[in-house]
Amino acid sequence: ELPENYVVFYINFRGIYISKIDDLLQVLFEVKEGEQKVTIKELVKELLKEGAKLKGIPIPEKVFDLIFTGKRIENIFRYLERLFEGIKEQGKIPVFVLDEIQTIREIVNEAGKPIIGELFNFFVRLTKETHLCHSLCSTSDCLFIEEIYSNARLEGRAKYILVDDLEKEDAFRVYEEFGFKNKELVWDYIGGKLGDMVKLYEDLKTGAEEEKALKNMLKDETSRLNMLLRSLKYSPLRVTIREREFEVDLEGFMKALKLFKESEEVQVDSIEEPALIGGIRENILFYNPLKGTVRPQSRLIWRAIKSLEGSSKLG
């Protein structure tokens, strides 16, 4: 929906195993085979003909081989900066989007240090210092967001945008589009989570009755939670904090879940760090690093936790 003068470079790391710089280069760049003495200006003019959204950064094969022989992260940054400068000179505005960026958190430079800090500092240069482009990074890993804010020192130089569940009024409008009948009941079960709305809609298309479909969704979520709890009896979760490994057993995890018996959201300080990390990794808990709060990943999970209230598990 952006105006025509915006040129979007969209890189999606989802589902791609990236363990070294070579993998990162293959994902970032779209190598144009056989092209040789191509200037940045010529390349920019060519890519602007292709449209406003590009999956991958175009680069001539010979240029790729020449500047990335040493696989230095500085070479990547230098090429990107020159490319964006060329686009800006053509009266266009580059937008650089990296999706699921936590995937490259372990990539290191030639000195053996993670490149992620360098990458975000480069984004700051592109946006705040040279004003060459807009940089957007998305991640489903809320712990990674906190890690970036603390390590790359982005406070005041980057904006955190929470892509969250819909508020009740907005959710009800979507319910209307899906044709849900008992909106209050649907809200009580799934709230404003779009993924759960889609799941309910698909179930209803098969002829399922609305309340029964919601109860089945809760039953599935409760079963998943019970399976995790059963597994913790025999094999605790192992999490790493500052290079130290900790175990989260059933007792430790249940202690965290008890906090949600009465409230859907609690302060992060009320949960021990290993249990918090374990709950997030298992997609049970969601941590908002700016508000400093924790809540279940969905209304269904919260109801599943509360359904254990009468059992000996939550005591």
Side-chain angles (χ1 to χ4, degrees):
E1 297 178 359
L2 289 173
E4 291 184 0
N5 62 320
Y6 284 84
V7 182
V8 180
F9 296 88
Y10 176 76
I11 311 294
N12 190 350
F13 294 119
R14 184 187 299 274
I16 301 173
Y17 178 68
I18 301 175
S19 63
K20 53 186 184 299
I21 289 287
D22 295 52
D23 301 330
L24 179 62
L25 292 176
Q26 290 179 19
V27 176
L28 279 177
F29 294 100
E30 179 187 341
V31 180
K32 295 183 173 294
E33 298 181 2
E35 298 189 28
Q36 300 186 46
K37 298 178 181 179
V38 180
T39 66
I40 287 290
K41 286 186 177 180
E42 291 171 330
L43 184 63
V44 166
K45 289 180 180 179
E46 187 64 29
L47 72 88
L48 290 180
K49 296 177 184 177
E50 300 179 14
K53 183 176 179 181
L54 300 153
K55 292 185 178 180
I57 301 161
I59 183 170
E61 183 179 22
K62 299 298 182 182
V63 177
F64 183 88
D65 292 340
L66 177 65
I67 68 176
F68 294 132
T69 300
K71 301 181 181 64
R72 293 171 59 89
I73 193 67
E74 293 87 351
N75 291 346
I76 300 176
F77 295 162
R78 192 175 299 116
Y79 176 78
L80 288 173
E81 192 165 339
R82 289 177 60 208
L83 180 66
F84 294 151
E85 284 174 350
I87 294 173
K88 198 75 177 288
E89 289 172 0
Q90 295 295 317
K92 303 291 185 178
I93 303 173
V95 181
F96 194 27
V97 183
L98 297 179
D99 201 353
E100 295 294 355
I101 194 172
Q102 78 280 356
T103 306
I104 63 174
R105 72 199 308 168
E106 304 298 333
I107 304 297
V108 298
N109 60 19
E110 66 277 3
K113 295 182 179 180
I115 68 168
I116 199 73
E118 296 178 79
L119 182 61
F120 275 91
N121 286 329
F122 175 63
F123 289 154
V124 170
R125 172 172 168 75
L126 288 177
T127 57
K128 300 295 184 182
E129 296 177 10
T130 63
H131 304 285
L132 285 178
C133 78
H134 297 289
S135 299
L136 299 171
C137 301
S138 75
T139 175
S140 55
D141 188 335
C142 45
L143 291 175
F144 176 74
I145 295 173
E146 183 182 49
E147 179 183 323
I148 290 302
Y149 260 72
S150 60
N151 293 346
R153 299 179 181 179
L154 291 177
E155 186 176 356
R157 299 191 291 176
K159 185 177 181 180
Y160 171 71
I161 303 171
L162 176 63
V163 183
D164 204 358
D165 297 347
L166 298 178
E167 297 293 338
K168 190 172 184 178
E169 183 178 341
D170 295 322
F172 273 35
R173 284 198 290 267
V174 179
Y175 291 176
E176 191 72 31
E177 293 294 325
F178 279 131
F180 300 157
K181 298 176 182 177
N182 191 337
K183 296 184 182 63
E184 288 292 344
L185 181 67
V186 174
W187 175 260
D188 193 38
Y189 270 84
I190 64 176
K193 199 169 193 67
L194 281 167
D196 288 340
M197 294 182 207
V198 173
K199 174 66 167 61
L200 176 60
Y201 174 70
E202 291 175 345
D203 289 346
L204 296 181
K205 283 200 303 183
T206 66
E209 189 269 328
E210 194 169 86
E211 184 173 2
K212 186 175 181 180
L214 288 167
K215 289 181 177 179
N216 285 336
M217 290 174 67
L218 176 58
K219 184 178 179 181
D220 289 344
E221 204 60 68
T222 304
S223 296
R224 184 172 76 89
L225 180 59
N226 275 321
M227 286 181 65
L228 173 62
L229 298 178
R230 284 199 300 270
S231 70
L232 289 177
K233 290 182 180 180
Y234 310 101
S235 178
L237 295 173
R238 289 178 172 80
V239 300
T240 302
I241 304 174
R242 296 187 181 276
E243 300 181 356
R244 283 188 59 193
E245 189 174 90
F246 296 83
E247 290 189 347
V248 183
D249 58 14
L250 178 60
E251 181 180 355
F253 198 68
M254 295 306 301
K255 182 180 178 181
L257 293 187
K258 285 179 182 179
L259 297 172
F260 299 99
K261 288 173 63 174
E262 304 297 334
S263 175
E264 193 172 359
E265 188 173 74
V266 301
Q267 292 298 310
V268 67
D269 292 341
S270 61
I271 301 180
E272 293 184 359
E273 192 74 3
L276 171 66
I277 295 175
I280 292 172
R281 293 284 186 245
E282 293 295 322
N283 208 32
I284 300 296
L285 301 178
F286 171 77
Y287 168 48
N288 186 323
L290 294 193
K291 289 177 61 180
T293 57
V294 183
R295 69 170 190 259
Q297 278 278 1
S298 69
R299 180 68 59 84
L300 278 174
I301 293 177
W302 186 42
R303 288 184 64 113
I305 292 172
K306 293 176 70 175
S307 74
L308 302 174
E309 185 176 349
S311 71
S312 59
K313 290 175 183 175
L314 281 181

